[in-house]
Amino acid sequence: MRGLLNRIFLVDLFQGLWVTFRNQHPKYIYTEQYPAERPKVAERYRGAPRLNINPDNGETLCISCNLCALACPEALIVVTSERNEATKRKDLTTFTYDTSRCMFCGLCEDACPVDALELTQDFEMATYTREGQIWDRQMLEEGPKPTQYKC
Amino acid sequence: MPDSTFLDSTELVLNMGPQHPSTHGVLRIILKLDGEKVLGTECIIGYLHRGVEKIGENRTYAQFNPYVDRMDYVAAISNGLGYCLAVEKLLNVEAPPRAQCIRVILTELNRIASHLLWLGTHALDIGAITPVFYCLREREEALKIFEKYCGARLTTHAFRIGGLLYETYDGFEQEIRDFCAMFVPKVDEYEELLTNNRIWIGRLKDVGILSADECKEYGVTGPVLRAAGVKWDLRKAQPYSGYEKYDFEIPIRQNGDTYDRYIVRMEEMRQSVRIMQQAVEAIPEGPIMGKVGKVIKPPVGEAYVSIEAPKGELGYYVVSDGSTQPYRLRVRPPSFVNLQALDRMIRGGLVADVVAVVGTLDIVLGEIDR
Ligand code: SF4
Ligand code: SF4
C-alpha cells in the first residue's frame, strides 16, 4: 500500500528534487571565475620551477653539482659549468629545464643540497611554441610572467 | 537464441569507443547486436599503453615512484602505497608508525575521492546529471587536502620508499576531522538522490549480474566481488600499514548486480570515514622516514605486495638483481582483471546497459593499458 502511494505521488522523485533545491543556495556556489579570480594554490604546490638567486648580490645559489639532473627520472635538466680558477669552484654557465617533459614530481627539488632549485606556486606555463617550453637560466631565475586579467 | 529474428534482420557489429565518453577513457568495445540484445562483446585495449613496467626497469627505485601515480590516476595515492610497500618489503624495512598512520589517512581519503568520481560519472552515464556536480564538489575538498599535504592534486607522489617525505602541515588533523564531519551527511544526500529513485533502480537492478563463483573464476576483486557476497578485503585478510588497528566493517551484498555494487561502494565510503576518524585521533609522534639510504639498493630477491585499492586488489611484484634498478616490475591492476568479466556480465543484456556495466566495473584505462 505504502509502495503504491509512493509510486503514485512520485515520492522518490520529490525527495531527490528536494536535495537539488536545498543546494540552490548561493553559499554553495563553487565556480571560480578563473582569469579574473585566480585560485590560491597551496604553499607546497609543485608548479613552475625556479632557480633561486641570492637576493643580496643577485648571484645564483646553484653550485652546479648536477644532483638534480641525476635525480630526474626524465633526465630533462642539463647543467653545464666551468671551473673558476680563482675560487677553485665550479661556476654555473647554463641551466636548461624542459618543462614540456616535466611531471612535477619534485625529485629534483628534493635532491638539491642548497635549495637552489625549487618548484613554485606559479601554475600558468602555457606557451605558443614547443621551444617556449624549454626554459633557460634567465627564464628560470625570473619565472613566468602570465598576463593578468581583471574585470 | 536464433540467428536471426522474424524480420530476417542480420546481426549488427558495432564499435563502441574508443572516443565514447561512457567508456571512461579509451576503451573500445566491439558489440555484436541483435536489435537491442547484446550477443557478445570484445574489448580492445592498449590505446593508452605507455610501457610503464618497462619504464620501471630503466629507472632507479626512487625515480619510478612518480610513474605509478599515472596508472590509476584517480587513486594515485593507493598506487604509491602499493609500490612503496613492495620495495620496502624487498629492502626489509618498515615505515615508522607515524608514517603508516598518515599513509592510512591519505589512502582512505583517496578511496573516497575515487569512489566519488566513480559515483558521479556512473550516474552521469545512466542519465542522472545532478550527482556528478555534488560528487566533484566534495572530491574537491579531498583534493585540496592532497594539494596542501604534498603539493599536487592528482598525481601526488605523496609517499617515499621507507616512509614519507612531507610532514603534515599545520591544521592537517583538523581538516581531516572537518572533512569527515562534512562528508557523512553528503553520502546520505547522494543516497537520497539515487537509492530510492525509480529510474535508478530500474536501470540498475538485475543488470550485469556476476555471481560469487564467476567472480572467483575471473579473479575479480574489490567492490564487484563484495557485492556478490564474498567477504574479501585485503585490509582485513592481510592487514598492511597497520590496518588491523582500526575498527571497520566490510560491506557486502548478495545479488551481485549493478545496484548492489552501488550500495557496497556507498557503504565503503562511510567505512573509510570511520577509519580516518580513528586514525586521525591516533597519529603517533615520531620520525616519518625509516632507515633507507640515499641510494636504494635492495638485496637480490623478489617481493609481491598487494593492497586493497579502491578498485580491487592492486599488486606490485618487484624483482631485484641487487642493482639500483628493478630487474623486473610487474603490476597487477584491479581494473584489468575486472574488465575480463565484462562479457559475462553483459551477454544477453540490452545495449543500453553496456554503459551501466562498464561504469559499475569502475575501470581506469590508464591502469589497464599501463
Ligand atoms: S619535477 Fe620531476 S620530472 Fe620535473 S625536472 Fe624535477 S625530477 Fe624531473
Ligand atoms: S641540485 Fe641544486 S645546486 Fe645542484 S645543480 Fe641542481 S640546482 Fe644546482
Side-chain angles (χ1 to χ4, degrees):
Chain A
M1 187 61 200
R2 235 193 110 145
L4 184 70
L5 283 179
N6 276 352
R7 284 187 79 83
I8 292 173
F9 293 109
L10 303 172
V11 172
D12 51 333
L13 296 187
F14 283 114
Q15 208 182 12
L17 276 177
W18 173 233
V19 175
T20 44
F21 186 74
R22 274 203 317 255
N23 282 290
Q24 299 272 315
H25 197 279
K27 82 171 182 214
Y28 293 121
I29 293 177
Y30 273 74
T31 316
E32 224 163 50
Q33 301 296 338
Y34 164 57
E37 185 190 311
R38 296 154 64 76
K40 202 174 168 312
V41 295
E43 217 170 285
R44 294 179 183 173
Y45 188 78
R46 302 196 301 255
R50 184 176 62 204
L51 198 58
N52 288 332
I53 50 175
N54 188 340
D56 299 332
N57 50 16
E59 270 173 27
T60 181
L61 289 180
C62 175
I63 51 170
S64 323
C65 65
N66 211 26
L67 283 178
C68 52
L70 292 174
C72 176
E74 288 290 327
L76 57 86
I77 302 175
V78 180
V79 184
T80 59
S81 57
E82 65 186 14
R83 198 179 150 82
N84 187 333
E85 288 304 331
T87 56
K88 298 264 191 285
R89 291 234 215 101
K90 282 195 278 187
D91 277 356
L92 184 67
T93 44
T94 63
F95 195 106
T96 52
Y97 188 111
D98 184 354
T99 54
S100 66
R101 273 160 55 213
C102 180
M103 52 187 175
F104 303 99
C105 60
L107 282 173
C108 50
E109 182 187 36
D110 301 346
C112 185
V114 290
D115 289 337
L117 191 62
E118 206 180 313
L119 296 180
T120 61
Q121 282 141 303
D122 298 324
F123 54 89
E124 288 148 314
M125 287 178 283
T127 55
Y128 286 103
T129 56
R130 238 165 227 262
E131 291 71 40
Q133 296 275 316
I134 301 171
W135 290 15
D136 56 10
R137 185 175 161 191
Q138 188 195 0
M139 181 77 178
L140 283 166
E141 282 173 359
E142 285 167 5
K145 293 189 195 69
T147 325
Q148 305 270 341
Y149 295 92
K150 293 262 166 349
C151 70
Chain B
M1 192 174 290
D3 282 347
S4 56
T5 57
F6 60 95
L7 283 175
D8 217 21
S9 60
T10 47
E11 288 159 2
L12 177 69
V13 176
L14 193 70
N15 264 315
M16 182 175 161
Q19 307 97 332
H20 194 285
S22 295
T23 56
H24 297 217
V26 281
L27 172 67
R28 174 167 159 223
I29 310 170
I30 300 175
L31 299 167
K32 199 171 169 200
L33 303 173
D34 174 18
E36 283 278 299
K37 273 222 151 56
V38 179
L39 299 179
T41 64
E42 197 179 315
C43 289
I44 314 280
I45 59 170
Y47 291 95
L48 215 57
H49 178 69
R50 291 154 293 176
V52 172
E53 290 175 5
K54 194 72 194 167
I55 291 175
E57 293 169 21
N58 297 310
R59 299 285 185 276
T60 63
Y61 288 92
Q63 279 182 342
F64 185 60
N65 205 346
Y67 289 91
V68 298
D69 294 349
R70 283 149 180 85
M71 275 187 281
D72 183 358
Y73 40 79
V74 184
I77 294 195
S78 297
N79 276 278
L81 179 65
Y83 175 67
C84 288
L85 285 177
V87 182
E88 280 162 20
K89 190 173 170 189
L90 206 55
L91 285 167
N92 211 2
V93 293
E94 208 174 55
R98 183 176 168 84
Q100 286 192 357
C101 194
I102 296 169
R103 278 179 175 186
V104 165
I105 294 173
L106 289 171
T107 331
E108 290 307 315
L109 195 58
N110 202 191
R111 185 184 313 276
I112 290 175
S114 166
H115 279 0
L116 279 176
L117 190 77
W118 160 80
L119 177 65
T121 50
H122 183 43
L124 195 66
D125 288 348
I126 291 183
I129 311 286
T130 317
V132 71
F133 301 122
Y134 299 165
C135 289
L136 291 185
R137 183 183 67 195
E138 269 73 72
R139 182 168 171 265
E140 186 66 27
E141 298 300 321
L143 296 189
K144 269 187 194 149
I145 295 179
F146 296 151
E147 184 184 319
K148 280 193 189 158
Y149 173 71
C150 62
R153 292 153 54 87
L154 221 53
T155 48
T156 47
H157 194 202
F159 305 148
R160 297 295 192 275
I161 294 157
L164 304 171
L165 175 70
Y166 306 105
E167 214 4 296
T168 55
Y169 59 89
D170 291 339
F172 174 76
E173 287 93 343
Q174 192 52 39
E175 266 181 34
I176 296 285
R177 277 187 210 115
D178 291 348
F179 179 85
C180 294
M182 176 279 290
F183 189 64
V184 176
K186 299 286 185 194
V187 183
D188 298 338
E189 208 166 71
Y190 310 142
E191 291 231 42
E192 219 172 296
L193 271 175
L194 295 172
T195 307
N196 292 323
N197 186 298
R198 65 186 64 183
I199 307 169
W200 186 252
I201 294 174
R203 284 298 306 275
L204 297 192
K205 269 251 156 84
D206 297 326
V207 168
I209 295 178
L210 199 67
S211 71
D213 287 336
E214 286 170 334
C215 282
K216 287 180 200 159
E217 265 173 43
Y218 281 109
V220 167
T221 46
V224 185
L225 178 66
R226 289 193 282 276
V230 183
K231 213 170 180 155
W232 177 256
D233 188 319
L234 287 171
R235 288 174 292 176
K236 285 263 193 217
Q238 325 167 345
Y240 52 88
S241 282
Y243 266 108
E244 64 279 0
K245 283 186 292 205
Y246 308 112
D247 173 33
F248 63 101
E249 261 132 52
I250 309 173
I252 57 165
R253 297 276 286 192
Q254 300 304 329
N255 297 336
D257 60 2
T258 306
Y259 188 75
D260 278 4
R261 289 188 276 269
Y262 154 74
I263 297 285
V264 163
R265 289 204 176 95
M266 296 308 270
E267 196 51 43
E268 267 183 21
M269 289 202 255
R270 294 203 177 92
Q271 298 298 334
S272 292
V273 169
R274 267 182 71 190
I275 298 174
M276 278 161 61
Q277 278 168 336
Q278 292 164 37
V280 78
E281 300 307 332
I283 302 181
E285 292 296 321
I288 53 168
M289 198 65 188
K291 282 197 182 55
V292 177
K294 266 247 177 284
V295 178
I296 295 169
K297 221 171 174 181
V300 179
E302 53 184 49
Y304 178 77
V305 168
S306 54
I307 64 161
E308 187 72 27
K311 294 168 181 68
E313 178 184 338
L314 171 70
Y316 278 92
Y317 176 63
V318 188
V319 183
S320 161
D321 58 356
S323 69
T324 56
Q325 297 175 343
Y327 175 71
R328 173 82 172 98
L329 204 139
R330 155 88 187 142
V331 191
R332 181 221 187 265
S335 306
F336 180 68
V337 182
N338 290 3
L339 185 66
Q340 293 178 85
L342 180 75
D343 187 59
R344 179 71 69 91
M345 288 160 89
I346 197 61
R347 196 169 280 223
L350 299 178
V351 65
D353 294 336
V354 175
V355 288
V357 172
V358 172
T360 192
L361 281 173
D362 193 11
I363 50 167
V364 161
L365 267 295
E367 181 177 65
I368 292 172
D369 298 341
R370 302 199 286 294

